[in-house]
Amino acid sequence: MRIDKLLANMGYGTRKEVKTLLKGGNVRINGNPEKSPKTHVNPGEDLVTVMGEEVEYREFIYLMMNKPGDLISATEDAHDPTVIDILQPEDQVFDPFPVGRLDKDTEGLLLITNDGQLNHRLTSPKKDVGKTYFAVIDGEVTEEDVKRFSEGVTLDDGYQTKPGKLVILESGDVSEIELTITEGKFHQVKRMFEAVDKKVTYLKRVMIGELELDDDLELGEYRELTDEEIDYLMGITNLEQ
């Protein structure tokens, strides 16, 4: 990898700013001063320092966000702010992207990474990775709904969903439920309830597989995943770190 790209990726500035660092003699590779931005280094083997500080290279970044209900799950949007826009600059330099998609008005657990392979596996229906949602429903959710969801329901476009696990937390004119599904069709949770003549008025994702949303994260806050959490995601998708 070119030294200027490595330093830019690690948050030492733009490519132009990194070139200034290099020209100033502030960068050393294995103890030797380096001024050329075109020099290639092996991040796993070469010792790179900037003003005496060792550069700790990371290829991937893994973040957990408690997504608020006013952000688009995308890297950029012409009209609305995205989940990437609220990341700190030192995290944005990794060019991360959201894993899957939460509707703009849906809150809760969103993973953000630049690991394309993990993203693909977590969102692939073939992996059957469950996504669990908490929802408030306008209407009485019944055991008949539980049965229908367990068999899969037919959406408005004729698509037959995979079975979903519906748990009734509170039933009445306004109901509260948890639903676990292994797909991510457009507006799927809302459309599944529309299929049984009910309406979702609040939706929050609380879990991916067995990875739960951190209760300490306020809306709009995020943190890096722990090593254990990353290992768990790698395990359920049959990937090796």
Side-chain angles (χ1 to χ4, degrees):
M1 178 183 294
R2 280 176 49 142
I3 184 66
D4 58 347
K5 177 173 172 58
L6 182 146
L7 293 177
N9 284 358
M10 293 301 101
Y12 285 91
T14 63
R15 289 286 186 96
K16 184 177 180 180
E17 291 168 339
V18 166
K19 285 180 180 178
T20 301
L21 267 179
L22 286 157
K23 286 181 180 179
N26 298 296
V27 180
R28 289 177 178 265
I29 300 174
N30 299 321
N32 301 312
E34 182 54 62
K35 294 188 176 184
S36 172
K38 298 180 181 180
T39 298
H40 280 72
V41 294
N42 186 330
E45 297 179 5
D46 293 319
L47 173 63
V48 179
T49 59
V50 176
M51 290 182 277
E53 177 185 288
E54 181 178 349
V55 177
E56 295 185 12
Y57 176 74
R58 290 191 300 162
E59 182 178 4
F60 297 121
I61 188 171
Y62 304 93
L63 305 173
M64 172 192 292
M65 176 183 287
N66 186 357
K67 177 191 169 299
D70 59 353
L71 296 179
I72 301 291
S73 295
T75 54
E76 57 184 20
D77 188 86
H79 306 290
D80 296 295
T82 75
V83 293
I84 303 302
D85 291 333
I86 66 171
L87 298 183
Q88 294 297 313
E90 59 265 30
D91 297 319
Q92 291 183 352
V93 296
F94 285 91
D95 294 326
F97 40 81
V99 176
R101 181 177 288 269
L102 286 180
D103 298 339
K104 181 180 178 182
D105 59 353
T106 300
E107 298 177 355
L109 175 56
L110 182 68
L111 299 179
I112 298 173
T113 185
N114 58 346
D115 187 338
Q117 194 172 14
L118 179 63
N119 171 63
H120 173 72
R121 300 238 181 156
L122 281 173
T123 54
S124 171
K126 294 179 181 178
K127 289 294 178 181
D128 283 329
V129 177
K131 285 86 174 178
T132 302
Y133 297 82
F134 167 81
V136 178
I137 309 299
D138 183 8
E140 183 178 0
V141 180
T142 67
E143 290 301 325
E144 177 60 27
D145 296 325
V146 172
K147 182 175 184 297
R148 288 186 63 181
F149 275 49
S150 71
E151 297 168 347
V153 297
T154 304
L155 303 183
D156 48 10
D157 60 359
Y159 178 78
Q160 178 77 14
T161 70
K162 287 186 174 183
K165 182 182 179 183
L166 176 60
V167 177
I168 300 173
L169 303 176
E170 187 175 316
S171 184
D173 291 340
V174 175
S175 301
E176 295 183 358
I177 62 90
E178 278 191 351
L179 174 64
T180 302
I181 57 177
T182 57
E183 302 173 286
K185 299 295 181 183
F186 182 69
H187 292 325
Q188 181 165 341
V189 175
K190 297 172 185 176
R191 292 165 68 202
M192 288 178 77
F193 277 97
E194 288 171 0
V196 294
D197 299 319
K198 296 175 180 68
K199 182 178 180 181
V200 174
T201 59
Y202 174 78
L203 188 61
K204 177 180 181 178
R205 183 158 64 189
V206 295
M207 192 180 304
I208 296 176
E210 298 298 323
L211 177 64
E212 296 185 59
L213 175 65
D214 190 331
D215 289 336
D216 292 334
L217 290 178
E218 299 291 335
L219 284 173
E221 292 185 342
Y222 70 94
R223 65 165 174 80
E224 290 199 39
L225 294 183
T226 66
D227 289 342
E228 291 77 14
E229 289 169 336
I230 296 171
D231 287 342
Y232 167 73
L233 293 175
M234 296 296 181
I236 63 174
T237 56
N238 300 318
L239 283 175
E240 293 183 1
Q241 261 191 281

